[in-house]
Amino acid sequence: MVNLTFSSNWVCGTVSNRAVSGVSLNLILLFAIRRFTKTSVGSYKYLLTAFASYDIFLSVLHAAVKPRAIIIGSIYGMCSLSEDRRITSVYCACFTVPFALMIIHFLYRFWSIRYPHLIALFSNKRFVAAISTYPVLQFVEW
């Protein structure tokens, strides 16, 4: 029993350290995006800002929830130290958003190579609002 407690405390400390480093490194990235990107980068910097900002949120959430992985053979599950199932559910749903952001990122890069004239859509507020609904819907669906 003592070994389990030691392991749990060590993991909690490690999670906190990772949260601090995750937040710190993403803040440095946000600073670099804001300070050093050229105007030729255009709306791509906003996409990078969205990734870094959401990663900060995920780092803090990870430290708050303190998730644990359960692996039995080929079965993978996740639980948290919290007694509230809703917190664990929200935590899992939050991890669907980066996949949706990655699809938008792929679309941006694909258009920049194949259809450069469509990149201007990423500067259109209505288009950005419409495409932003995709990650939100992924979260809600989960």
Side-chain angles (χ1 to χ4, degrees), residues 47 51 96-110 122 131 134 138:
L47 190 57
F51 267 102
T96 64
V97 174
F99 295 109
L101 287 175
M102 190 61 75
I103 291 169
I104 295 169
H105 184 254
F106 174 77
L107 179 66
Y108 184 94
R109 292 182 65 159
F110 176 72
F122 280 91
I131 206 165
Y134 179 65
Q138 287 291 311

PDB file of all heavy atoms in Angstrom, residues 47 51 96-110 122 131 134 138:
ATOM      1  N   LEU A  47      -4.091  30.656 -36.544  1.00  0.00           N
ATOM      2  CA  LEU A  47      -4.264  29.217 -36.366  1.00  0.00           C
ATOM      3  C   LEU A  47      -3.244  28.683 -35.355  1.00  0.00           C
ATOM      4  O   LEU A  47      -3.587  27.890 -34.466  1.00  0.00           O
ATOM      5  CB  LEU A  47      -4.127  28.512 -37.710  1.00  0.00           C
ATOM      6  CG  LEU A  47      -4.496  27.045 -37.787  1.00  0.00           C
ATOM      7  CD1 LEU A  47      -5.927  26.816 -37.337  1.00  0.00           C
ATOM      8  CD2 LEU A  47      -4.329  26.545 -39.218  1.00  0.00           C
ATOM      9  N   PHE A  51      -3.898  26.938 -31.553  1.00  0.00           N
ATOM     10  CA  PHE A  51      -3.283  25.701 -31.061  1.00  0.00           C
ATOM     11  C   PHE A  51      -2.588  25.931 -29.724  1.00  0.00           C
ATOM     12  O   PHE A  51      -2.796  25.176 -28.770  1.00  0.00           O
ATOM     13  CB  PHE A  51      -2.257  25.164 -32.067  1.00  0.00           C
ATOM     14  CG  PHE A  51      -2.818  24.180 -33.031  1.00  0.00           C
ATOM     15  CD1 PHE A  51      -3.124  24.568 -34.324  1.00  0.00           C
ATOM     16  CD2 PHE A  51      -3.024  22.865 -32.669  1.00  0.00           C
ATOM     17  CE1 PHE A  51      -3.638  23.661 -35.228  1.00  0.00           C
ATOM     18  CE2 PHE A  51      -3.530  21.944 -33.567  1.00  0.00           C
ATOM     19  CZ  PHE A  51      -3.840  22.349 -34.853  1.00  0.00           C
ATOM     20  N   THR A  96     -10.828  15.879 -27.876  1.00  0.00           N
ATOM     21  CA  THR A  96     -11.259  15.724 -29.266  1.00  0.00           C
ATOM     22  C   THR A  96     -11.013  16.997 -30.062  1.00  0.00           C
ATOM     23  O   THR A  96     -10.877  16.944 -31.284  1.00  0.00           O
ATOM     24  CB  THR A  96     -12.750  15.359 -29.351  1.00  0.00           C
ATOM     25  OG1 THR A  96     -13.547  16.433 -28.826  1.00  0.00           O
ATOM     26  CG2 THR A  96     -13.051  14.078 -28.613  1.00  0.00           C
ATOM     27  N   VAL A  97     -10.938  18.127 -29.380  1.00  0.00           N
ATOM     28  CA  VAL A  97     -10.786  19.418 -30.063  1.00  0.00           C
ATOM     29  C   VAL A  97      -9.468  19.525 -30.837  1.00  0.00           C
ATOM     30  O   VAL A  97      -9.472  19.994 -31.978  1.00  0.00           O
ATOM     31  CB  VAL A  97     -10.975  20.583 -29.072  1.00  0.00           C
ATOM     32  CG1 VAL A  97     -10.682  21.924 -29.711  1.00  0.00           C
ATOM     33  CG2 VAL A  97     -12.398  20.562 -28.510  1.00  0.00           C
ATOM     34  N   PRO A  98      -8.314  19.106 -30.300  1.00  0.00           N
ATOM     35  CA  PRO A  98      -7.087  19.205 -31.095  1.00  0.00           C
ATOM     36  C   PRO A  98      -7.142  18.424 -32.416  1.00  0.00           C
ATOM     37  O   PRO A  98      -6.547  18.843 -33.413  1.00  0.00           O
ATOM     38  CB  PRO A  98      -5.999  18.633 -30.174  1.00  0.00           C
ATOM     39  CG  PRO A  98      -6.519  18.865 -28.814  1.00  0.00           C
ATOM     40  CD  PRO A  98      -8.004  18.688 -28.921  1.00  0.00           C
ATOM     41  N   PHE A  99      -7.875  17.321 -32.441  1.00  0.00           N
ATOM     42  CA  PHE A  99      -8.005  16.581 -33.698  1.00  0.00           C
ATOM     43  C   PHE A  99      -8.796  17.397 -34.713  1.00  0.00           C
ATOM     44  O   PHE A  99      -8.458  17.430 -35.903  1.00  0.00           O
ATOM     45  CB  PHE A  99      -8.664  15.222 -33.453  1.00  0.00           C
ATOM     46  CG  PHE A  99      -7.824  14.311 -32.616  1.00  0.00           C
ATOM     47  CD1 PHE A  99      -8.190  14.016 -31.312  1.00  0.00           C
ATOM     48  CD2 PHE A  99      -6.656  13.758 -33.115  1.00  0.00           C
ATOM     49  CE1 PHE A  99      -7.416  13.186 -30.528  1.00  0.00           C
ATOM     50  CE2 PHE A  99      -5.868  12.922 -32.341  1.00  0.00           C
ATOM     51  CZ  PHE A  99      -6.248  12.643 -31.040  1.00  0.00           C
ATOM     52  N   ALA A 100      -9.836  18.071 -34.249  1.00  0.00           N
ATOM     53  CA  ALA A 100     -10.611  18.937 -35.141  1.00  0.00           C
ATOM     54  C   ALA A 100      -9.772  20.126 -35.599  1.00  0.00           C
ATOM     55  O   ALA A 100      -9.816  20.513 -36.776  1.00  0.00           O
ATOM     56  CB  ALA A 100     -11.875  19.416 -34.436  1.00  0.00           C
ATOM     57  N   LEU A 101      -8.973  20.686 -34.703  1.00  0.00           N
ATOM     58  CA  LEU A 101      -8.082  21.783 -35.086  1.00  0.00           C
ATOM     59  C   LEU A 101      -7.048  21.315 -36.106  1.00  0.00           C
ATOM     60  O   LEU A 101      -6.679  22.059 -37.020  1.00  0.00           O
ATOM     61  CB  LEU A 101      -7.384  22.360 -33.861  1.00  0.00           C
ATOM     62  CG  LEU A 101      -8.227  23.198 -32.913  1.00  0.00           C
ATOM     63  CD1 LEU A 101      -7.410  23.582 -31.682  1.00  0.00           C
ATOM     64  CD2 LEU A 101      -8.762  24.431 -33.599  1.00  0.00           C
ATOM     65  N   MET A 102      -6.593  20.079 -35.955  1.00  0.00           N
ATOM     66  CA  MET A 102      -5.612  19.540 -36.904  1.00  0.00           C
ATOM     67  C   MET A 102      -6.214  19.416 -38.299  1.00  0.00           C
ATOM     68  O   MET A 102      -5.533  19.645 -39.303  1.00  0.00           O
ATOM     69  CB  MET A 102      -5.104  18.178 -36.416  1.00  0.00           C
ATOM     70  CG  MET A 102      -3.925  17.675 -37.200  1.00  0.00           C
ATOM     71  SD  MET A 102      -2.494  18.752 -37.118  1.00  0.00           S
ATOM     72  CE  MET A 102      -1.906  18.399 -35.503  1.00  0.00           C
ATOM     73  N   ILE A 103      -7.488  19.074 -38.387  1.00  0.00           N
ATOM     74  CA  ILE A 103      -8.155  18.994 -39.692  1.00  0.00           C
ATOM     75  C   ILE A 103      -8.219  20.376 -40.328  1.00  0.00           C
ATOM     76  O   ILE A 103      -7.960  20.532 -41.528  1.00  0.00           O
ATOM     77  CB  ILE A 103      -9.559  18.360 -39.535  1.00  0.00           C
ATOM     78  CG1 ILE A 103      -9.406  16.889 -39.169  1.00  0.00           C
ATOM     79  CG2 ILE A 103     -10.391  18.531 -40.799  1.00  0.00           C
ATOM     80  CD1 ILE A 103     -10.696  16.218 -38.724  1.00  0.00           C
ATOM     81  N   ILE A 104      -8.550  21.388 -39.533  1.00  0.00           N
ATOM     82  CA  ILE A 104      -8.573  22.759 -40.053  1.00  0.00           C
ATOM     83  C   ILE A 104      -7.173  23.176 -40.476  1.00  0.00           C
ATOM     84  O   ILE A 104      -6.990  23.811 -41.517  1.00  0.00           O
ATOM     85  CB  ILE A 104      -9.155  23.721 -38.994  1.00  0.00           C
ATOM     86  CG1 ILE A 104     -10.614  23.374 -38.727  1.00  0.00           C
ATOM     87  CG2 ILE A 104      -9.007  25.170 -39.438  1.00  0.00           C
ATOM     88  CD1 ILE A 104     -11.211  24.070 -37.528  1.00  0.00           C
ATOM     89  N   HIS A 105      -6.177  22.800 -39.696  1.00  0.00           N
ATOM     90  CA  HIS A 105      -4.783  23.087 -40.033  1.00  0.00           C
ATOM     91  C   HIS A 105      -4.393  22.423 -41.361  1.00  0.00           C
ATOM     92  O   HIS A 105      -3.743  23.036 -42.210  1.00  0.00           O
ATOM     93  CB  HIS A 105      -3.889  22.593 -38.895  1.00  0.00           C
ATOM     94  CG  HIS A 105      -2.456  22.901 -39.057  1.00  0.00           C
ATOM     95  ND1 HIS A 105      -1.530  21.952 -39.395  1.00  0.00           N
ATOM     96  CD2 HIS A 105      -1.780  24.062 -38.937  1.00  0.00           C
ATOM     97  CE1 HIS A 105      -0.340  22.511 -39.467  1.00  0.00           C
ATOM     98  NE2 HIS A 105      -0.464  23.784 -39.195  1.00  0.00           N
ATOM     99  N   PHE A 106      -4.786  21.173 -41.526  1.00  0.00           N
ATOM    100  CA  PHE A 106      -4.511  20.472 -42.784  1.00  0.00           C
ATOM    101  C   PHE A 106      -5.194  21.177 -43.956  1.00  0.00           C
ATOM    102  O   PHE A 106      -4.592  21.346 -45.025  1.00  0.00           O
ATOM    103  CB  PHE A 106      -4.968  19.020 -42.709  1.00  0.00           C
ATOM    104  CG  PHE A 106      -4.838  18.297 -44.015  1.00  0.00           C
ATOM    105  CD1 PHE A 106      -3.594  17.847 -44.458  1.00  0.00           C
ATOM    106  CD2 PHE A 106      -5.937  18.098 -44.829  1.00  0.00           C
ATOM    107  CE1 PHE A 106      -3.461  17.200 -45.671  1.00  0.00           C
ATOM    108  CE2 PHE A 106      -5.816  17.451 -46.043  1.00  0.00           C
ATOM    109  CZ  PHE A 106      -4.578  16.997 -46.469  1.00  0.00           C
ATOM    110  N   LEU A 107      -6.431  21.601 -43.755  1.00  0.00           N
ATOM    111  CA  LEU A 107      -7.157  22.316 -44.813  1.00  0.00           C
ATOM    112  C   LEU A 107      -6.431  23.588 -45.195  1.00  0.00           C
ATOM    113  O   LEU A 107      -6.266  23.878 -46.392  1.00  0.00           O
ATOM    114  CB  LEU A 107      -8.582  22.644 -44.340  1.00  0.00           C
ATOM    115  CG  LEU A 107      -9.459  23.403 -45.324  1.00  0.00           C
ATOM    116  CD1 LEU A 107      -9.756  22.534 -46.542  1.00  0.00           C
ATOM    117  CD2 LEU A 107     -10.745  23.851 -44.641  1.00  0.00           C
ATOM    118  N   TYR A 108      -5.958  24.346 -44.214  1.00  0.00           N
ATOM    119  CA  TYR A 108      -5.218  25.570 -44.486  1.00  0.00           C
ATOM    120  C   TYR A 108      -3.963  25.278 -45.303  1.00  0.00           C
ATOM    121  O   TYR A 108      -3.691  25.934 -46.307  1.00  0.00           O
ATOM    122  CB  TYR A 108      -4.848  26.271 -43.177  1.00  0.00           C
ATOM    123  CG  TYR A 108      -4.157  27.590 -43.394  1.00  0.00           C
ATOM    124  CD1 TYR A 108      -4.883  28.763 -43.407  1.00  0.00           C
ATOM    125  CD2 TYR A 108      -2.782  27.666 -43.600  1.00  0.00           C
ATOM    126  CE1 TYR A 108      -4.263  29.984 -43.611  1.00  0.00           C
ATOM    127  CE2 TYR A 108      -2.151  28.875 -43.811  1.00  0.00           C
ATOM    128  CZ  TYR A 108      -2.900  30.030 -43.813  1.00  0.00           C
ATOM    129  OH  TYR A 108      -2.279  31.236 -44.032  1.00  0.00           O
ATOM    130  N   ARG A 109      -3.205  24.288 -44.876  1.00  0.00           N
ATOM    131  CA  ARG A 109      -1.951  23.974 -45.582  1.00  0.00           C
ATOM    132  C   ARG A 109      -2.215  23.406 -46.971  1.00  0.00           C
ATOM    133  O   ARG A 109      -1.485  23.701 -47.924  1.00  0.00           O
ATOM    134  CB  ARG A 109      -1.121  23.008 -44.736  1.00  0.00           C
ATOM    135  CG  ARG A 109      -0.638  23.713 -43.466  1.00  0.00           C
ATOM    136  CD  ARG A 109       0.202  22.843 -42.647  1.00  0.00           C
ATOM    137  NE  ARG A 109       1.420  22.535 -43.394  1.00  0.00           N
ATOM    138  CZ  ARG A 109       2.542  22.133 -42.857  1.00  0.00           C
ATOM    139  NH1 ARG A 109       2.601  22.004 -41.562  1.00  0.00           N
ATOM    140  NH2 ARG A 109       3.578  21.854 -43.583  1.00  0.00           N
ATOM    141  N   PHE A 110      -3.247  22.589 -47.104  1.00  0.00           N
ATOM    142  CA  PHE A 110      -3.606  22.046 -48.412  1.00  0.00           C
ATOM    143  C   PHE A 110      -3.994  23.171 -49.372  1.00  0.00           C
ATOM    144  O   PHE A 110      -3.543  23.216 -50.508  1.00  0.00           O
ATOM    145  CB  PHE A 110      -4.746  21.037 -48.275  1.00  0.00           C
ATOM    146  CG  PHE A 110      -5.239  20.495 -49.581  1.00  0.00           C
ATOM    147  CD1 PHE A 110      -4.470  19.594 -50.312  1.00  0.00           C
ATOM    148  CD2 PHE A 110      -6.466  20.883 -50.094  1.00  0.00           C
ATOM    149  CE1 PHE A 110      -4.915  19.085 -51.522  1.00  0.00           C
ATOM    150  CE2 PHE A 110      -6.920  20.384 -51.302  1.00  0.00           C
ATOM    151  CZ  PHE A 110      -6.142  19.488 -52.021  1.00  0.00           C
ATOM    152  N   PHE A 122      -9.692  32.432 -44.804  1.00  0.00           N
ATOM    153  CA  PHE A 122      -9.314  32.380 -43.402  1.00  0.00           C
ATOM    154  C   PHE A 122      -9.231  33.763 -42.766  1.00  0.00           C
ATOM    155  O   PHE A 122      -9.089  33.885 -41.557  1.00  0.00           O
ATOM    156  CB  PHE A 122      -7.994  31.615 -43.214  1.00  0.00           C
ATOM    157  CG  PHE A 122      -8.176  30.134 -43.230  1.00  0.00           C
ATOM    158  CD1 PHE A 122      -8.087  29.419 -44.417  1.00  0.00           C
ATOM    159  CD2 PHE A 122      -8.434  29.441 -42.067  1.00  0.00           C
ATOM    160  CE1 PHE A 122      -8.257  28.041 -44.426  1.00  0.00           C
ATOM    161  CE2 PHE A 122      -8.615  28.066 -42.066  1.00  0.00           C
ATOM    162  CZ  PHE A 122      -8.521  27.368 -43.255  1.00  0.00           C
ATOM    163  N   ILE A 131     -16.145  27.722 -39.650  1.00  0.00           N
ATOM    164  CA  ILE A 131     -15.191  26.617 -39.485  1.00  0.00           C
ATOM    165  C   ILE A 131     -14.895  26.364 -38.004  1.00  0.00           C
ATOM    166  O   ILE A 131     -14.530  25.252 -37.626  1.00  0.00           O
ATOM    167  CB  ILE A 131     -13.910  26.877 -40.315  1.00  0.00           C
ATOM    168  CG1 ILE A 131     -13.247  25.564 -40.673  1.00  0.00           C
ATOM    169  CG2 ILE A 131     -12.958  27.797 -39.612  1.00  0.00           C
ATOM    170  CD1 ILE A 131     -12.219  25.669 -41.755  1.00  0.00           C
ATOM    171  N   TYR A 134     -16.865  23.542 -36.089  1.00  0.00           N
ATOM    172  CA  TYR A 134     -16.485  22.136 -36.179  1.00  0.00           C
ATOM    173  C   TYR A 134     -15.851  21.622 -34.877  1.00  0.00           C
ATOM    174  O   TYR A 134     -16.311  20.609 -34.329  1.00  0.00           O
ATOM    175  CB  TYR A 134     -15.581  21.899 -37.384  1.00  0.00           C
ATOM    176  CG  TYR A 134     -15.138  20.471 -37.522  1.00  0.00           C
ATOM    177  CD1 TYR A 134     -16.060  19.465 -37.779  1.00  0.00           C
ATOM    178  CD2 TYR A 134     -13.810  20.121 -37.373  1.00  0.00           C
ATOM    179  CE1 TYR A 134     -15.662  18.140 -37.889  1.00  0.00           C
ATOM    180  CE2 TYR A 134     -13.401  18.806 -37.486  1.00  0.00           C
ATOM    181  CZ  TYR A 134     -14.337  17.822 -37.744  1.00  0.00           C
ATOM    182  OH  TYR A 134     -13.942  16.519 -37.843  1.00  0.00           O
ATOM    183  N   GLN A 138     -17.550  18.924 -32.261  1.00  0.00           N
ATOM    184  CA  GLN A 138     -16.853  17.698 -31.867  1.00  0.00           C
ATOM    185  C   GLN A 138     -16.856  17.546 -30.348  1.00  0.00           C
ATOM    186  O   GLN A 138     -17.069  16.453 -29.832  1.00  0.00           O
ATOM    187  CB  GLN A 138     -15.403  17.714 -32.378  1.00  0.00           C
ATOM    188  CG  GLN A 138     -15.274  17.514 -33.854  1.00  0.00           C
ATOM    189  CD  GLN A 138     -15.655  16.090 -34.239  1.00  0.00           C
ATOM    190  OE1 GLN A 138     -15.192  15.139 -33.636  1.00  0.00           O
ATOM    191  NE2 GLN A 138     -16.495  15.966 -35.226  1.00  0.00           N
TER     192      GLN A 138
END
